[in-house]
Amino acid sequence: MITLTSDFGTPYPAAMKGVILRRCDARLVDIAHDLPRQDVRAAAFWLRFVLPEFPPAVHLAVVDPGVGTDRPALAVRAGAHVLVGPDNGALMPVARRLAGAGERPDEAGRTGHGGEDDVAVFTLDYDDPDSATFHGRDVFAPAAATVHEAVAERSPPDRRAWSADDVGAVESLPRVSPADDYVDLTFPNPTVGETSVKGEVLVVDDFGNVVTNVPGRVIEGRRSVRVNGERVPVGPSFAAVDPGERIATVGSHGYVECDVNRGRGDEAFGLGPDDEVRLRFD
Amino acid sequence: MITLTSDFGTPYPAAMKGVILRRCDARLVDIAHDLPRQDVRAAAFWLRFVLPEFPPAVHLAVVDPGVGTDRPALAVRAGAHVLVGPDNGALMPVARRLAGAGERPDEAGRTGHGGEDDVAVFTLDYDDPDSATFHGRDVFAPAAATVHEAVAERSPPDRRAWSADDVGAVESLPRVSPADDYVDLTFPNPTVGETSVKGEVLVVDDFGNVVTNVPGRVIEGRRSVRVNGERVPVGPSFAAVDPGERIATVGSHGYVECDVNRGRGDEAFGLGPDDEVRLRFD
Amino acid sequence: MITLTSDFGTPYPAAMKGVILRRCDARLVDIAHDLPRQDVRAAAFWLRFVLPEFPPAVHLAVVDPGVGTDRPALAVRAGAHVLVGPDNGALMPVARRLAGAGERPDEAGRTGHGGEDDVAVFTLDYDDPDSATFHGRDVFAPAAATVHEAVAERSPPDRRAWSADDVGAVESLPRVSPADDYVDLTFPNPTVGETSVKGEVLVVDDFGNVVTNVPGRVIEGRRSVRVNGERVPVGPSFAAVDPGERIATVGSHGYVECDVNRGRGDEAFGLGPDDEVRLRFD
């Protein structure tokens, strides 16, 4: 199985699929191709949210502001998964989670710190590609197919899921070498106090829901919270308030979200990615 | 085969796919994930339009304004198909059609009344999910996979399509029980007179085509019709009028549509979902 | 394998998939369903860009301003591929490329002239379809499934890719006959002079990148070029200029593109499909 993630819109992702299917017979699953353009942190967030739901697979992920420069191409082994994409940090938070780090933010809202032993980062050497602007097609798709075939060859056909041992095959591929250095990315941690929390917006989803970096437990059990000064009810889901009303809730990522029932939280709260969010309990 | 329908945008549907693929090897087919947000009637319309084209399958459909409340989860057996989703009525019109009701509106424009004997509605009991806002991932996707595996196990591998008997497997699943009560949904019927029809708009599609609940036969053979007072030509397809011109035609659903050749009917006619449409022949 | 391309938005393409899957077990791959509405030349461009990346397959492509008229349905054999769609020219440029014509524009920017021997065009006879407005579902999807099954039956199961001989099966299908006449489409060629080029915009992609018909070699090695009078730097990729800055580059199609790093070229250059583009070197 190969999953595909990008900010390419259409029809560019289909060209990557053709390249892969010329080389192997893997099942292909789209994660998203309309991620915010060239937003590496948003890509990192969504990859970390979605990929841990999958069985062991090769995950091709190309959100690549540096396309055409000489930034390296990476293969990252994480548990029984392999991630393939440009070296810009987007692959690292999900790699830590796939390798066994906690699946939800810890008490302090920190994630991705611990259990990272099973992550190994490799550089993929590649020839000058046909194009300087579409490495998804010319560099990363062929690499993902090559990795998939190497792992599939080692995995017994009667076994449904790959093991960490199977995906170790990536290490023995020609033109693959351990990365001396690579770009890392971690999400900012909130400052959690007794009566207030200072956090920030990580992403805004398609619904306009505002996802913060504040761990859900800080609002659980409360009836309301001040968000940047304004009191908002706390509830288990949108449906706890009337249509058009604002609510603070714990999203499916485990973080505090600022939402509107049947409306857009980003507009109602005036919040977007990177904006500061102060929660106060009183 | 499992089909997937939602109003989740991206990348949430991919999380559902991961959950399913961790549990089974079914072919996955997307119906749509950009349905009008939380619009149960539109979901019911499009499910009824698309799913009858498919061979017997499990159909996961989650447009769920009540997410996080205690509204039940349903599995609906309909002929040799099984539908899985929240109990809000969206599954019922297509269930009746899949069970053998007429595939096109009858003379009076009524659908879904007749041949419903082969529909059986079940409640799915589920544990408290991880999230209160993403039951698609935490409740319905696992349920769809479980149903798929139970049916696939009973179906002979050399048979391409499931039978109604195979999908009866859903009844024997643990935590599945016949539903005492459930939400139903029927589409409004038009009032068809000698010289006029009073109907309403069911949905507007991506093209801006305005789909009414008026059966196509009332305009077939006519050269023109008054739509809310204004005379519009009747034709077999958009191409029967010049680009930018309005036309009344019979859409692929069998209903009267108000369209514009290479333009948007909703804007030209000033019509949207639920609006009244009066057709007059004179 | 059957690929699917259309301008249908959602959920109409899913109806085509159901129709196909009732008839065969082929792998389905979406190319795009949000192509510019009823724009045959844009469809021709994107098909020619994407499909050559694929292994031999049946390619269903329906961008069909003439739906509901009596324009013929075609099957086009091109090398080891078969294209299925309406007779409006959209299939011909990619057919020539799949049959072995040069994969990149030649020195003069001309493509699709040469190596066309292995293209054969057939008319598909069809019954009056259920609808006059959705031939994708009622005419072309069943035809694609029929062609796929005929070719798959002839292809040895242990062979991964079809041969040109396998896909010859299309000729022996009932209701298939050699086309006496059909609509062709070629892209306009630029006028390439010593110090200037007169070309035009072929398409604008999702990023707002403006793709011209000018072959990339005319700007390769240059440091800047005048685009409709204004000097713009030339570079290998967006990243060669600062965010928000304009650049002329060679896109992954081999043509000159007018782009903006992390912005929209169409807005910055004021260019859209069919617009004239004059490049001057001085």
Side-chain angles (χ1 to χ4, degrees):
Chain A
M1 188 185 310
I2 299 177
T3 75
L4 298 98
T5 306
S6 77
D7 60 354
F8 292 168
T10 56
Y12 295 104
M16 297 199 294
K17 293 182 191 178
V19 165
I20 292 171
L21 293 171
R22 279 216 312 276
R23 287 165 173 78
C24 73
D25 210 36
R27 182 200 278 260
L28 304 184
V29 185
D30 290 310
I31 305 301
H33 294 290
D34 57 355
L35 292 184
R37 288 277 152 83
Q38 305 193 323
D39 184 337
V40 171
R41 196 173 84 169
F45 178 87
W46 289 115
L47 290 168
R48 192 185 62 169
F49 176 64
V50 175
L51 299 188
E53 306 295 347
F54 277 80
V58 173
H59 304 287
L60 173 61
V62 188
V63 171
D64 188 14
V67 64
T69 67
D70 58 358
R71 59 95 196 80
L74 297 183
V76 180
R77 192 178 66 68
H81 298 252
V82 185
L83 301 147
V84 173
D87 178 16
N88 59 26
L91 306 178
M92 300 313 299
V94 66
R96 283 187 278 267
R97 188 157 296 178
L98 291 172
E103 297 245 333
R104 298 278 178 256
D106 70 13
E107 288 282 300
R110 292 189 193 89
T111 55
H113 295 274
E116 309 172 9
D117 296 356
D118 207 22
V119 173
V121 183
F122 301 93
T123 303
L124 299 168
D125 187 30
Y126 57 89
D127 294 321
D128 243 16
D130 269 10
S131 79
T133 52
F134 196 5
H135 288 190
R137 177 190 70 184
D138 298 335
V139 174
F140 297 108
T146 300
V147 169
H148 186 276
E149 287 310 277
V151 177
E153 194 167 291
R154 192 191 284 202
S155 167
D158 59 328
R159 201 157 9 101
R160 272 277 304 283
W162 296 341
S163 69
D165 184 60
D166 296 331
V167 302
V170 69
E171 306 183 24
S172 326
L173 284 171
R175 310 184 71 176
V176 163
S177 47
D180 296 327
D181 194 23
Y182 54 87
V183 180
D184 201 354
L185 183 155
T186 55
F187 296 105
N189 286 319
T191 309
V192 180
E194 286 283 305
T195 60
S196 71
V197 180
K198 187 178 140 190
E200 73 175 76
V201 177
L202 292 179
V203 297
V204 173
D205 75 8
D206 268 9
F207 287 84
N209 297 325
V210 176
V211 182
T212 73
N213 66 339
V214 179
R217 58 134 196 117
V218 308
I219 63 165
E220 273 165 8
R222 296 185 188 275
R223 297 182 51 187
S224 72
V225 61
R226 283 188 195 278
V227 177
N228 289 344
E230 292 188 75
R231 184 162 301 284
V232 173
V234 170
S237 76
F238 322 120
V241 295
D242 288 335
E245 292 298 314
R246 301 192 298 177
I247 185 169
T249 188
V250 183
S252 50
H253 342 71
Y255 291 112
V256 173
E257 282 189 12
C258 300
D259 302 340
V260 168
N261 188 17
R262 308 202 186 192
R264 293 193 65 92
D266 54 348
E267 293 171 5
F269 285 90
L271 286 172
D274 302 340
D275 285 351
E276 183 179 297
V277 178
R278 283 181 179 270
L279 304 184
R280 181 166 286 278
F281 320 110
D282 52 15
Chain B
M1 188 183 311
I2 299 177
T3 76
L4 297 98
T5 306
S6 77
D7 60 354
F8 292 168
T10 56
Y12 295 104
M16 296 200 294
K17 293 182 191 177
V19 165
I20 292 170
L21 294 172
R22 278 216 313 276
R23 287 165 174 79
C24 73
D25 210 36
R27 180 200 280 261
L28 303 183
V29 185
D30 289 310
I31 304 301
H33 294 291
D34 57 356
L35 292 183
R37 289 276 152 84
Q38 305 192 325
D39 184 337
V40 170
R41 196 173 83 169
F45 179 87
W46 289 115
L47 290 168
R48 192 185 61 168
F49 176 65
V50 174
L51 299 187
E53 307 295 347
F54 276 80
V58 173
H59 305 287
L60 173 61
V62 189
V63 172
D64 188 15
V67 63
T69 66
D70 58 357
R71 59 94 197 79
L74 297 184
V76 180
R77 191 179 66 70
H81 298 252
V82 185
L83 302 146
V84 173
D87 178 17
N88 59 27
L91 307 178
M92 300 314 298
V94 66
R96 283 186 279 267
R97 189 158 296 177
L98 291 172
E103 296 245 336
R104 298 277 179 256
D106 70 12
E107 290 282 300
R110 292 189 192 88
T111 55
H113 294 275
E116 308 171 12
D117 296 356
D118 207 22
V119 173
V121 183
F122 301 93
T123 303
L124 299 168
D125 187 29
Y126 58 89
D127 293 322
D128 243 17
D130 270 9
S131 79
T133 52
F134 197 4
H135 288 190
R137 176 190 71 183
D138 298 335
V139 174
F140 297 108
T146 301
V147 169
H148 186 276
E149 288 309 277
V151 177
E153 194 168 292
R154 193 192 284 202
S155 168
D158 58 329
R159 199 154 15 95
R160 271 277 304 282
W162 296 340
S163 69
D165 184 60
D166 297 330
V167 302
V170 70
E171 305 183 25
S172 326
L173 283 171
R175 308 184 71 177
V176 163
S177 47
D180 296 328
D181 195 21
Y182 53 88
V183 180
D184 200 354
L185 184 156
T186 54
F187 295 106
N189 285 317
T191 309
V192 180
E194 286 283 306
T195 60
S196 71
V197 179
K198 187 177 139 191
E200 73 175 76
V201 177
L202 292 179
V203 297
V204 173
D205 74 9
D206 268 10
F207 286 85
N209 297 326
V210 175
V211 182
T212 74
N213 67 338
V214 178
R217 59 135 195 116
V218 308
I219 63 165
E220 274 165 6
R222 295 185 189 276
R223 297 182 53 187
S224 73
V225 61
R226 283 187 195 278
V227 178
N228 289 344
E230 291 187 76
R231 185 162 300 283
V232 173
V234 170
S237 76
F238 322 120
V241 295
D242 288 335
E245 292 298 313
R246 301 191 299 177
I247 186 168
T249 188
V250 183
S252 51
H253 341 71
Y255 292 112
V256 173
E257 283 189 12
C258 301
D259 303 339
V260 168
N261 187 18
R262 308 201 186 193
R264 292 194 65 93
D266 55 348
E267 293 171 5
F269 286 90
L271 287 171
D274 302 341
D275 286 349
E276 184 178 298
V277 178
R278 283 183 180 269
L279 305 184
R280 181 167 286 277
F281 320 109
D282 52 15
Chain C
M1 190 185 310
I2 299 177
T3 75
L4 298 98
T5 307
S6 77
D7 60 354
F8 292 168
T10 56
Y12 295 104
M16 296 198 294
K17 292 181 192 178
V19 165
I20 292 170
L21 293 171
R22 279 215 313 275
R23 288 166 173 78
C24 73
D25 210 36
R27 181 200 279 260
L28 303 184
V29 185
D30 289 310
I31 304 302
H33 294 291
D34 57 355
L35 292 184
R37 288 277 152 84
Q38 305 192 324
D39 184 338
V40 171
R41 196 173 84 167
F45 178 87
W46 290 114
L47 290 168
R48 191 185 62 168
F49 176 65
V50 175
L51 299 188
E53 306 296 346
F54 276 80
V58 173
H59 305 287
L60 173 60
V62 189
V63 172
D64 188 15
V67 62
T69 67
D70 58 358
R71 58 93 196 82
L74 297 183
V76 180
R77 192 178 65 69
H81 298 252
V82 185
L83 302 147
V84 173
D87 177 17
N88 59 26
L91 306 178
M92 301 314 298
V94 66
R96 283 187 279 267
R97 187 158 295 177
L98 291 172
E103 297 245 334
R104 298 278 178 255
D106 69 13
E107 289 282 300
R110 292 189 194 87
T111 55
H113 295 276
E116 309 171 10
D117 296 356
D118 207 22
V119 172
V121 183
F122 302 93
T123 304
L124 299 169
D125 187 30
Y126 58 89
D127 293 321
D128 242 16
D130 269 10
S131 79
T133 52
F134 196 5
H135 288 191
R137 177 190 70 184
D138 298 335
V139 174
F140 296 109
T146 301
V147 169
H148 186 277
E149 287 309 277
V151 177
E153 195 167 291
R154 193 192 283 203
S155 167
D158 58 329
R159 201 159 8 100
R160 272 277 303 283
W162 296 341
S163 69
D165 184 60
D166 297 331
V167 301
V170 69
E171 306 183 26
S172 326
L173 283 171
R175 309 184 72 176
V176 164
S177 46
D180 296 327
D181 194 21
Y182 54 88
V183 180
D184 200 354
L185 183 156
T186 54
F187 296 105
N189 286 319
T191 309
V192 181
E194 285 285 305
T195 60
S196 71
V197 180
K198 187 177 139 190
E200 72 175 77
V201 177
L202 292 179
V203 296
V204 173
D205 75 8
D206 267 10
F207 286 84
N209 296 326
V210 175
V211 182
T212 73
N213 67 339
V214 179
R217 58 133 196 117
V218 308
I219 63 165
E220 273 165 8
R222 296 185 188 276
R223 297 181 54 187
S224 72
V225 60
R226 283 187 195 280
V227 178
N228 289 344
E230 291 187 76
R231 185 163 299 285
V232 173
V234 170
S237 77
F238 323 120
V241 294
D242 288 335
E245 293 297 313
R246 301 191 299 176
I247 185 169
T249 187
V250 182
S252 51
H253 342 72
Y255 291 112
V256 172
E257 283 189 11
C258 301
D259 302 340
V260 168
N261 188 18
R262 307 201 188 193
R264 293 194 64 93
D266 55 347
E267 293 170 5
F269 285 90
L271 287 172
D274 302 341
D275 285 351
E276 184 179 296
V277 178
R278 283 182 180 270
L279 304 184
R280 181 166 286 277
F281 321 109
D282 52 15

